[in-house]
Amino acid sequence: MIEVKNLSKRFPQANKPDKSARRDVRESEGWFNAVRNVSFHCAPGEVLGLLGPNGAGKTTTLRLLATALTPDSGTASINGIDIIDQPMLARRQIGFLSGTTGLYGRLTARENVEYFGRLHGMAAPQLKRRCDELFDQLQIHDFSHKRTDELSTGMKQKCSIARAVVHEPRVIILDEPTTGLDVMAAKVLLDFMASSKRAGIPLIFSTHHLHEVEKLCDRVCVINGGASVFDGTTAAFRQQGGGDIFDAFVDVINRTNQSNERSAA
């Protein structure tokens, strides 16, 4: 179970804001409030799609949840473990794919995954079984012997997924996992995510591809201007646009943009 309540994170602004420029509602007294008030939950066996325009705060939210950043306020827990009070314990529960591959170019695909498995303390027989299982699932046996700096974008992303989940995490967090992939590579990753759902693993992923949300997601959280502006079932979200998920997204973003503009005025 993943539970997030009123999460926030701010960063100091390097330069003074241009007073003549259009003011972002998240700017305040030399600070940029990247995440202001985000709440959502994801139960076992559910997939939650994290949506929002570029710069909305999705990646920062996922990095907070994955313990790569520490929140300034709010709470978040992974299977009852508080990520602020017990970040190391929470981290063992999480499989996190960031926006970058995080692979060592001079190692082969197999060596990369095995290396991260050993970092998680996996014994050799367990690690071999898990690697074989993941390489079957993600269809990466054919290039497992190649150095990762020689791999295509899709191959690297598959390897990165294997690296992120080699330790059999109890929750999975993916930041735009299919961006830049061709149709066949994206299908392999979506099938992997569907199999994790069937296994009862809570899974959160950010995306700009709304067809992925329709295909996989039980729940949707929309972030705009650093705050969650919708949190509910996919069916309820679709109704925001009269039954069309694309229209729902546009309508929610437009309404909150108008509200933010009035607040910043």
Side-chain angles (χ1 to χ4, degrees), residues 110 113 127-144 158-159 162 187-189 191-192 195:
R110 181 90 183 197
V113 178
L127 181 56
K128 182 181 183 306
R129 173 193 60 78
R130 181 61 172 163
C131 284
D132 288 344
E133 177 184 87
L134 288 171
F135 279 44
D136 282 339
Q137 264 189 300
L138 295 169
Q139 300 177 19
I140 52 181
H141 276 298
D142 288 348
F143 56 85
S144 63
K158 289 180 182 181
C159 187
K187 183 182 184 306
V188 170
L189 293 187
D191 287 347
F192 170 78
S195 71

Side-chain angles (χ1 to χ4, degrees), residues 9-252:
K9 180 67 178 180
R10 67 178 187 171
F11 300 95
Q13 289 182 286
N15 301 309
K16 291 183 179 180
D18 182 355
K19 292 183 179 180
S20 65
R22 191 172 182 177
R23 183 172 174 268
D24 190 315
V25 70
R26 289 176 288 177
E27 295 176 356
S28 176
E29 299 178 349
W31 294 90
F32 183 74
N33 299 282
V35 173
R36 296 185 297 149
N37 185 8
V38 170
S39 300
F40 56 79
H41 69 273
C42 184
E46 286 186 337
V47 175
L48 181 141
L50 193 64
L51 307 180
N54 288 330
K58 301 186 300 298
T59 293
T60 302
T61 296
L62 294 182
R63 293 183 70 196
L64 289 168
L65 187 57
T67 74
L69 294 173
T70 302
D72 293 322
S73 63
T75 62
S77 64
I78 301 290
N79 294 328
I81 301 169
D82 189 306
I83 68 165
I84 301 174
D85 292 340
Q86 298 177 292
M88 294 302 294
L89 185 58
R91 198 171 297 166
R92 297 191 191 108
Q93 308 273 320
I94 300 167
F96 176 49
L97 176 74
S98 66
T100 55
T101 60
L103 300 173
Y104 294 101
R106 294 187 177 183
L107 299 181
T108 67
R110 181 90 183 197
E111 288 170 341
N112 265 282
V113 178
E114 289 177 340
Y115 174 71
F116 282 94
R118 287 193 292 271
L119 287 180
H120 283 286
M122 298 177 72
Q126 177 194 17
L127 181 56
K128 182 181 183 306
R129 173 193 60 78
R130 181 61 172 163
C131 284
D132 288 344
E133 177 184 87
L134 288 171
F135 279 44
D136 282 339
Q137 264 189 300
L138 295 169
Q139 300 177 19
I140 52 181
H141 276 298
D142 288 348
F143 56 85
S144 63
H145 63 287
K146 291 186 177 181
R147 284 174 32 159
T148 55
D149 60 6
E150 300 172 350
L151 301 181
S152 68
T153 298
M155 291 174 179
K156 286 180 179 177
Q157 192 72 328
K158 289 180 182 181
C159 187
S160 294
I161 291 279
R163 170 194 64 77
V165 301
V166 65
H167 59 300
E168 300 184 271
R170 295 178 62 186
V171 303
I172 297 175
I173 302 169
L174 309 175
D175 190 8
E176 299 187 11
T178 61
T179 295
L181 303 188
D182 64 33
V183 172
M184 298 310 294
K187 183 182 184 306
V188 170
L189 293 187
L190 292 174
D191 287 347
F192 170 78
M193 293 159 69
S195 71
S196 299
K197 176 179 177 177
R198 290 192 295 272
I201 299 171
L203 189 150
I204 294 177
F205 75 105
S206 63
T207 184
H208 291 293
H209 305 301
L210 296 179
H211 70 277
E212 296 176 356
V213 175
E214 290 203 288
K215 184 178 179 66
L216 285 175
C217 293
D218 304 284
R219 299 185 60 82
V220 170
C221 176
V222 181
I223 297 178
N224 195 24
S228 50
V229 294
F230 179 88
D231 174 35
T233 66
T234 306
F237 179 61
R238 193 180 292 111
Q239 290 309 307
Q240 300 287 311
D244 183 272
I245 198 165
F246 181 87
D247 289 343
F249 178 79
V250 172
D251 185 63
V252 168

Side-chain angles (χ1 to χ4, degrees), residues 22-26 257-265:
R22 191 172 182 177
R23 183 172 174 268
D24 190 315
V25 70
R26 289 176 288 177
N257 280 344
Q258 291 167 6
S259 176
N260 287 339
E261 287 173 3
R262 287 194 295 269
S263 298

